[in-house]
């Protein structure tokens, strides 16, 4: 794949000790942008290699988080394996890890030791709660971070239980934030000549997304209620019934609401004394819902999507993943792509959400076979063929 | 606030044309990291200045998205206002906008014109669907992006409707991704000497978080069902009842499940022929839930959180925002902070999720008064006092 132009992060050397989700998502973003990501795996590999439905023995779940990386197997429980790691780190720009706080110290890679080894190294950690504070040592998991951050508490129906988001978004949001922090530290290093630590906690990342829900709490000290799919402050807004199913409509302010009602030939609603203010419309939401549903039920979703979007009303379908994969907009945006596997099949994965006009994201490295790049990475780091063979014979590395 | 050390992005000049949510979140992240963010506002200001509960006439919602920025009022509908903008852009590193695709062209700031003006400028756009494809011109809104991306379709109870997340996460995730793309483009510019475009669409950003839900769909072509707070593939997992309320427990694999059951004196479950495999436990989930609930009902949440966390079982409380704000871990992580307002009150806002050890995020600029920095920014860009007074008199700028 030599003909693909370099990404913007070409030359950035990332040593990736992460596994499972938050860290691998961070390093995949860096790899998609052209960084040289060397994924250090234990002899048994990242556990995700064995998770999810297999295609020809290959995990699509692993592919979705590990394209654009190279795999090196090191046994970090052996002194020889740790020595190899230190040699790779001496020449790297970034180390990323998502162990529980303290694990790096146990591997002999304390902050002080790393600074001695390579003062320009940026050391990034993704964890559950942060490395300081009373919960620093707690085991973390996406579901728990959703619960503890306040995120889950505001999701769900008003009369139902708090509801998690099904995707593991606390892992993923922390991974994206870690990428921001790492790149900022790379830029900052130009001025200082020194690396630094970067840390993102899953709970903190998700809490940072509470937006106006948090600012309203801070301003009023009132704990926000759950409101399901309805907007807490505006009506009509939400899901409405067409002849062949529902559409989502976001009448976020009066100007858009007027366009919506006009398109439905319900323009009179805005001047009817029963409905001529938002508080009145909130109070009459059941009546208004019936009125709107009965009008929309006369035509199918595609009709309403067409005329409402042309009128400037934000609206859409609640798409399932099959519909998303068939959506011409998603195709135009290349958001479902194929990635090859080193010596394996091509698998469908999600595309690149960051679109760069000059040096775009691209698949520059296939999903790596476990240890499929050990020999080449060690050779480039100055290990002789004899050293590599000796390390492989001792089990401290695996070359295939 | 001159005693605060510089952030890693010190010297990065960002001209910010964004309003409301996705773009302002992106530029706030850059500002938190030390970039010089100049928020260009129309004479009436970002509409968010008037939204949400006011404290002494100041919007906490606006504060939550606009600390660490300076405000310049330019009327971009006037030629003089556009001339000022071009002069600011000639010397900037980054332009960020979240208009609908095509609006920048109408302001005379097409990609070609911007390249002529400043070939090093990075031009970042956050929008709903992307600037190409059949839906490029559709109006976007968080709720609609949640629907169209497939995200909403997998959230909610198995027998309930698809459920949005209450926070506007498609805006926010797109904003964070845009920050990643901008910083990558800044780094790439060191090699090429040229800026480039960066674009992130809300639908694409949220779709990129579908993780194993997407990879399972790609591997099987089966549309994933909603599973509420239960894990689709593992049981026991979810919310369980203690004497004083529920806790969330994530028994993500057998080793953790064994610790969980042992802690409850239910270790026998794993070897009981009715429950000795995950498929059997999935089938018997109601029985197991009753068994676990009845055991946990004997003690309060704090007891179980303590013993389960010590045992290495990820667990926690579904906290509401009041509990989050009082959580000692959140306090230790400084995730609720105060920000001053230029000539106004201090307001509580969410803290910085990116923790840098060397050059940390900090409040370096208060939330700006509308146009509160117009005169100083224009003077630094070389406008004379007479020019500034003339522009203000014409209404093309506002200096206060």
């Amino acid at each position: 794949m030599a003909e693909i132009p370099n990404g913007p992060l070409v030359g950035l050397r990332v040593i990736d000790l992460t596994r499972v989700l938050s860290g691998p998502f961070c390093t995949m973003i860096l790899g998609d942008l052209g960084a040289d990501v060397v994924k250090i795996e234990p002899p048994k590999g990242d556990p995700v290699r064995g998770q999810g439905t297999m295609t020809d023995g290959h995990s699509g779940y692993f592919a979705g988080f590990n394209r654009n990386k190279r795999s090196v197997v090191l046994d970090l429980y052996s002194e020889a394996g740790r020595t190899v790691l230190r040699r790779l780190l001496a020449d790297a720009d970034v180390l990323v890890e998502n162990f529980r706080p303290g694990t790096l110290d146990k591997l002999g890679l304390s902050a002080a030791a790393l600074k001695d080894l390579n003062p320009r190294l940026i050391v990034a950690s993704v964890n559950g709660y942060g490395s300081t504070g009373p919960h620093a040592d707690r085991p973390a998991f996406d579901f728990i971070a959703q619960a503890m951050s306040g995120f889950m508490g505001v999701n769900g129906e008003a009369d139902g239980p708090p509801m998690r988001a099904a995707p593991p978004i606390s892992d993923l949001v922390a991974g994206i934030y870690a990428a921001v922090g790492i790149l900022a530290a790379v830029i900052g290093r130009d001025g200082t000549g020194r690396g630094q630590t970067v840390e993102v906690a899953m709970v903190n990342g998700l809490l940072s997304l509470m937006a106006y829900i948090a600012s309203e709490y801070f301003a009023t000290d009132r704990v926000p209620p759950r409101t399901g799919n309805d907007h807490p402050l505006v009506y009509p807004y939400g899901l409405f019934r067409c002849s062949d199913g529902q559409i989502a409509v976001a009448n976020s302010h009066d100007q858009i609401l007027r366009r919506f009602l006009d398109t439905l030939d319900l323009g009179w609603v805005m001047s009817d004394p029963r409905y001529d203010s938002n508080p009145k419309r909130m109070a009459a939401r059941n009546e208004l819902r019936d009125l709107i549903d009965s009008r929309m039920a006369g035509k199918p979703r595609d009709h309403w999507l067409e005329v409402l979007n042309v009128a400037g009303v934000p609206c859409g379908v609640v798409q399932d993943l099959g519909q998303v994969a068939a959506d011409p907009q998603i195709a135009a945006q290349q958001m479902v792509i194929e990635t090859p596997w080193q010596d394996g099949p091509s698998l469908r994965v999600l595309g690149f959400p960051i679109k760069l006009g000059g040096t775009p994201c691209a698949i520059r490295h296939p999903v790596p076979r476990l240890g499929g790049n050990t020999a080449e990475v060690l050779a480039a780091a100055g290990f002789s063929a004899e050293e590599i063979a000796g390390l492989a014979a001792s089990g401290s590395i695996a070359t295939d």
Side-chain angles (χ1 to χ4, degrees), chain A residues 126-400:
Chain A
V126 188
N127 53 40
Y129 295 93
S131 61
T132 58
H135 299 172
D137 293 329
R138 287 191 176 184
F141 201 78
D142 172 70
F143 180 44
I144 308 306
Q146 292 201 34
M148 294 291 286
S149 63
F151 180 81
M152 193 171 148
V154 295
N155 299 327
E157 303 279 12
D159 53 359
M163 183 60 58
R164 70 171 187 137
I169 57 168
S170 74
D171 284 288
L172 305 177
V173 166
I176 311 174
Y177 269 129
V180 175
I182 288 166
L183 297 184
V186 168
I187 292 169
R189 193 178 60 174
D190 287 344
T192 64
R194 290 191 301 277
Q196 60 178 312
T197 57
V198 175
E199 183 175 299
V200 178
M202 290 154 63
V203 170
N204 295 348
L206 214 40
L207 173 57
S208 79
L209 305 188
M210 295 297 282
Y212 59 85
I213 303 175
S215 51
E216 286 303 292
Y217 170 74
F218 293 142
T220 64
D221 277 318
R222 282 194 299 271
V223 169
R226 288 187 282 281
T227 65
N229 288 321
D230 289 336
H231 194 288
L233 304 174
V234 172
Y235 198 82
Y237 182 109
L239 297 174
F240 298 97
R241 268 192 215 98
C242 312
S243 65
D244 59 348
Q246 290 182 311
I247 65 171
V249 182
N251 297 308
S252 53
H253 55 73
D254 278 8
Q255 193 186 343
I256 289 176
L257 177 60
R258 194 173 303 277
R259 295 179 206 150
F260 173 68
L261 293 170
D262 283 346
T263 307
L264 268 61
D265 278 332
L266 292 173
W268 58 266
V269 164
M270 296 287 279
S271 49
D272 186 293
R274 291 169 297 172
Y275 313 122
D276 62 0
S277 74
N278 183 60
K280 290 185 188 176
R281 293 189 291 268
M282 289 287 286
R285 61 167 70 200
N286 289 336
E287 274 168 64
L288 281 171
R289 190 190 308 270
D290 290 347
L291 187 64
I292 292 165
D293 278 351
S294 70
R295 187 62 55 110
M296 295 188 80
K299 295 261 170 68
R301 288 184 296 193
D302 282 349
H303 167 79
W304 292 117
L305 290 175
E306 175 65 26
V307 298
L308 288 171
N309 272 304
V310 167
V313 177
C315 63
V317 177
V318 181
Q319 298 200 106
D320 66 35
L321 273 179
Q323 293 168 311
V324 170
D327 182 338
Q329 181 66 25
I330 298 298
Q333 290 287 311
Q334 299 182 282
M335 283 306 293
V336 178
I337 61 177
E338 295 231 336
T339 183
W341 201 299
Q342 193 183 18
D343 306 324
S346 268
L347 295 182
R348 276 191 293 175
V349 291
L350 295 169
F352 311 112
I354 299 171
K355 309 295 189 195
L356 297 180
T359 57
C361 292
I363 302 284
R364 296 184 179 86
H365 290 287
V367 184
R369 213 173 54 223
L370 177 61
N373 309 93
T374 305
E376 98 196 25
V377 169
L378 266 61
F383 288 82
S384 70
E386 291 70 31
E387 283 180 292
I388 293 171
L391 286 162
S394 77
S396 299
I397 69 169
T399 52
D400 210 23

